[in-house]
Amino acid sequence: MPLVADGKAKAVAHGELRAIGFWMIVRGATPVRPVRVFVSYEALAQLDPYDIRDLASAFEHFERFRARIEAAASDKFDRDGLDAEKYEGMPTIRLTTSDPV
C-alpha cells in the first residue's frame, strides 16, 4: 500500500538528523497508520543545488518539491518497507542522497 500525504502535516527541521521531517499515512490502513518521513538536507540540495542557502530556504525548497518528495517516500515504502529504526517510537522512512527523489 502506498503512503499518502497527511493534509495537516507541517514540516519541521530535525537538526540532529540533518533533515526535514513530516508525516504521511499508509493508504487504506485501519486504524490510521502514520509514518514519519525524513528527507536529508543533502537530498534536498540535490534537487536544485543552487537554491539552498540556509534553513529558511531549505523549507521553501522542500515545499517547492513536496509532491516529488512524497512520491519518493511512497515508492521507497512500497519497495523496501519501513526503516528498521524508529523515531520516538514511530515508524519511519528516510530519504537520503542514495534515494531517487
Side-chain angles (χ1 to χ4, degrees), residues 1-9 22-38 73 77 81-83 85-93:
M1 282 188 235
L3 295 178
V4 293
D6 176 349
K8 303 172 286 186
F22 62 102
W23 291 101
M24 293 183 77
I25 55 176
V26 178
R27 179 184 290 158
T30 305
V32 173
R33 286 182 49 204
V35 175
R36 190 68 168 166
V37 178
F38 296 101
F77 176 76
L82 296 166
D83 289 353
E85 293 180 34
K86 292 188 175 202
Y87 180 78
E88 295 182 351
M90 298 301 294
T92 61
I93 295 287

Side-chain angles (χ1 to χ4, degrees), residues 16-91:
E16 181 181 318
L17 298 176
R18 296 191 37 77
I20 290 179
F22 62 102
W23 291 101
M24 293 183 77
I25 55 176
V26 178
R27 179 184 290 158
T30 305
V32 173
R33 286 182 49 204
V35 175
R36 190 68 168 166
V37 178
F38 296 101
V39 57
S40 72
Y41 296 148
E42 293 81 8
L44 274 174
Q46 283 186 332
L47 293 170
D48 184 355
Y50 301 103
D51 194 37
I52 296 187
R53 297 171 301 284
D54 55 25
L55 190 55
S57 63
F59 275 105
E60 290 171 14
H61 203 63
F62 170 80
E63 289 301 331
R64 187 168 125 211
F65 291 104
R66 186 170 187 147
R68 192 166 154 184
I69 293 164
E70 289 172 344
S74 183
D75 289 347
K76 185 170 184 178
F77 176 76
D78 285 342
R79 183 181 63 248
D80 302 332
L82 296 166
D83 289 353
E85 293 180 34
K86 292 188 175 202
Y87 180 78
E88 295 182 351
M90 298 301 294

